Amino acid sequence: MPRVTDAYRRARRDEIASAALRCLRRNGVSGTSIADVVAESGLSAGAIYSHFRNKAELASYVAGSLLAWRIDEFASVTVDAPADAMRFLLAVFEDEEVTPHVVLQFWGEATVDEELRTVMTAVVGRMRAAFEHAVRPWADRRSADGAALAARTASVMLAVCQGYIANVALLGPRPVDDYLADVAVALGSEGADGQVIPLQRDHLSGRG
Amino acid sequence: MPRVTDAYRRARRDEIASAALRCLRRNGVSGTSIADVVAESGLSAGAIYSHFRNKAELASYVAGSLLAWRIDEFASVTVDAPADAMRFLLAVFEDEEVTPHVVLQFWGEATVDEELRTVMTAVVGRMRAAFEHAVRPWADRRSADGAALAARTASVMLAVCQGYIANVALLGPRPVDDYLADVAVALGSEGADGQVIPLQRDHLSGRG
DNA sequence: ACCTGAACACCGTTCAAGT
DNA sequence: ACCTGAACACCGTTCAAGT
């Protein structure tokens, strides 16, 4: 099998996947039929099935490539505080390519579709690992056992980001910074005039 | 229209809804067909459509009644700290009747189905209001403007709970207390030997 | 009024036939 | 090998006909 063919196949898959993503953004996962993807891509049903085993595999491919590059670009970053890392990651939703409601639907489907679950837990796992790496210096500054603190913190950051995504998808857009500021106010700390101070358990500061 | 008929209709709707919920737990929202509900309920397709306009309305009804009673029972409670309120609400997932993965699927569908979105935002809104009421005494103790603090805190608690639900549905079961303890460690405060101290911005305590 | 179940339009998927 | 598009089994929904 010559290499040209591999590159061609990959390009075709991405072409179909990007047509599928356009449909998904418009009509959601359950609202998108293969016929829609056929119309959007200009190919035939058979052509799509010669590149993807079924609709679930197409969805998995879209879901997998959706956030992959953003996480990769994030993988080697380190930050001053957890909030910065979350801000960086959640900024992905500021361009219109990826929308929280599509991500939330993928999560919902993943609880029921084995293949999609594998992809989504991998994506989420890489997010967690990236968080862990990003906050490691911060954790080392704060605790004798920086590794353990970084691991626990990464878990929570992941859940906080998932909460943001679910919250925004359901209740409508909300600036990332406002959200993180509210988290800081309620559970962390906040400086004067609303400026967010890196989340620290032992930070003491007056408000107002 | 005699009252008996209303009661009968309601009972029939609940009968269908509970058959539908059994199917949803087994096979998920997209994996459940009307034919499945027909088989599970022992009624005919037409019978179901004489009680629900369509599959979406059936799903909305199930979703609406799913958490309603638990939120109502929670509506007049007040707690010592935000964590207690979240612990109380999330304890609903300790019985097997309601599962996080069904809730997550409803959220996903809600981003695409208008009727389901209306129901889910109402449910989530009542959760938020219940949180706000529950932490009000705590907020008054902590701030001169207790109302504002309670409102912002309730928003965050909601998102934290949504994060827990999404996290657990995707990555598998995780005890509520462990999760809240991790949140406290990373963003709040933790006492000696792992005992969670009510989340307070200005609480100072050594660890280990 | 509630219910039955056959019928309809549409869905995901397959497959013989083309290039 | 990739692709076409008709065909198939199944889906959500409707509706004439029963009680």
Side-chain angles (χ1 to χ4, degrees):
Chain A
M1 202 186 294
R3 283 205 183 144
V4 217
T5 303
D6 272 9
Y8 173 80
R9 271 195 75 80
R10 215 194 122 77
R12 249 311 200 243
R13 279 172 74 94
D14 286 338
E15 188 187 337
I16 295 168
S18 103
L21 180 55
R22 286 192 295 274
C23 294
L24 291 173
R25 274 202 303 263
R26 262 201 311 270
N27 302 317
V29 176
S30 64
T32 294
S33 68
I34 294 292
D36 294 332
V37 180
V38 165
E40 182 75 30
S41 66
L43 296 169
S44 68
I48 288 166
Y49 279 88
S50 77
H51 288 275
F52 295 97
R53 204 170 352 99
N54 50 34
K55 191 187 174 184
E57 200 208 326
L58 172 54
S60 297
Y61 185 79
V62 172
S65 38
L66 205 59
L67 293 165
W69 68 269
R70 181 69 68 140
I71 294 172
D72 287 343
E73 133 186 322
F74 179 45
S76 56
V77 166
T78 60
V79 295
D80 283 339
D84 292 332
M86 294 189 277
R87 192 176 296 119
F88 185 96
L89 189 89
L90 293 175
V92 72
F93 294 113
E94 265 153 30
D95 74 44
E96 74 281 11
E97 171 96 338
V98 180
T99 60
H101 75 260
V102 171
V103 173
L104 186 58
Q105 284 174 72
F106 279 140
W107 288 345
E109 276 304 300
T111 65
V112 120
D113 178 298
E114 172 110 28
E115 186 164 16
L116 194 54
R117 180 167 62 250
T118 305
V119 171
M120 291 311 279
T121 52
V123 167
V124 158
R126 280 162 72 193
M127 265 172 62
R128 216 204 59 82
F131 278 148
E132 193 171 340
H133 177 264
V135 301
R136 186 57 196 278
W138 167 88
D140 284 337
R141 263 181 272 126
R142 276 190 77 210
S143 166
D145 190 356
L149 179 59
R152 296 184 80 173
T153 304
S155 279
V156 169
M157 291 165 75
L158 184 66
V160 167
C161 288
Q162 288 183 289
Y164 172 80
I165 291 165
N167 203 274
V168 161
L170 265 178
L171 305 179
R174 176 178 187 178
V176 170
D177 283 328
D178 285 7
Y179 174 73
L180 292 176
D182 281 351
V183 171
V185 168
L187 304 176
S189 57
E190 187 196 344
D193 68 315
Q195 188 212 351
V196 175
I197 290 173
L199 298 171
Q200 292 178 15
R201 173 175 102 246
D202 45 11
H203 185 81
L204 250 186
S205 96
R207 196 170 62 98
Chain B
M1 203 186 296
R3 287 217 178 134
V4 216
T5 303
D6 272 9
Y8 172 80
R9 272 195 74 80
R10 214 194 122 79
R12 252 299 203 255
R13 279 172 74 95
D14 285 339
E15 188 186 337
I16 295 167
S18 104
L21 179 56
R22 286 193 295 277
C23 294
L24 292 173
R25 274 201 303 264
R26 263 202 310 271
N27 302 316
V29 176
S30 65
T32 294
S33 68
I34 295 291
D36 294 333
V37 180
V38 165
E40 182 74 31
S41 67
L43 296 169
S44 68
I48 288 166
Y49 279 88
S50 77
H51 287 276
F52 296 97
R53 202 167 359 95
N54 50 34
K55 192 187 174 185
E57 200 208 326
L58 172 54
S60 298
Y61 185 79
V62 172
S65 39
L66 206 60
L67 294 164
W69 68 269
R70 181 68 68 139
I71 295 171
D72 287 342
E73 136 186 321
F74 179 45
S76 57
V77 166
T78 60
V79 295
D80 284 337
D84 292 331
M86 294 188 277
R87 193 176 294 120
F88 185 95
L89 189 89
L90 292 176
V92 72
F93 294 114
E94 264 152 31
D95 75 42
E96 73 282 12
E97 170 97 338
V98 181
T99 60
H101 75 259
V102 171
V103 172
L104 186 58
Q105 285 174 72
F106 279 141
W107 287 345
E109 276 304 302
T111 64
V112 120
D113 178 298
E114 172 110 28
E115 185 164 19
L116 194 54
R117 182 166 61 249
T118 304
V119 170
M120 292 310 281
T121 53
V123 167
V124 158
R126 280 162 71 192
M127 265 172 62
R128 215 203 61 83
F131 277 148
E132 193 170 341
H133 177 264
V135 300
R136 184 59 194 277
W138 167 87
D140 284 338
R141 261 181 273 126
R142 276 190 77 210
S143 165
D145 189 355
L149 179 59
R152 296 183 79 171
T153 305
S155 279
V156 169
M157 291 165 74
L158 185 66
V160 167
C161 288
Q162 289 182 288
Y164 173 81
I165 291 165
N167 204 275
V168 162
L170 264 179
L171 305 179
R174 176 177 187 176
V176 171
D177 282 329
D178 285 8
Y179 174 73
L180 292 176
D182 281 351
V183 172
V185 167
L187 305 177
S189 56
E190 187 195 346
D193 70 314
Q195 188 213 350
V196 175
I197 290 174
L199 297 170
Q200 291 177 16
R201 173 175 101 244
D202 46 12
H203 184 81
L204 249 187
S205 96
R207 196 170 62 97

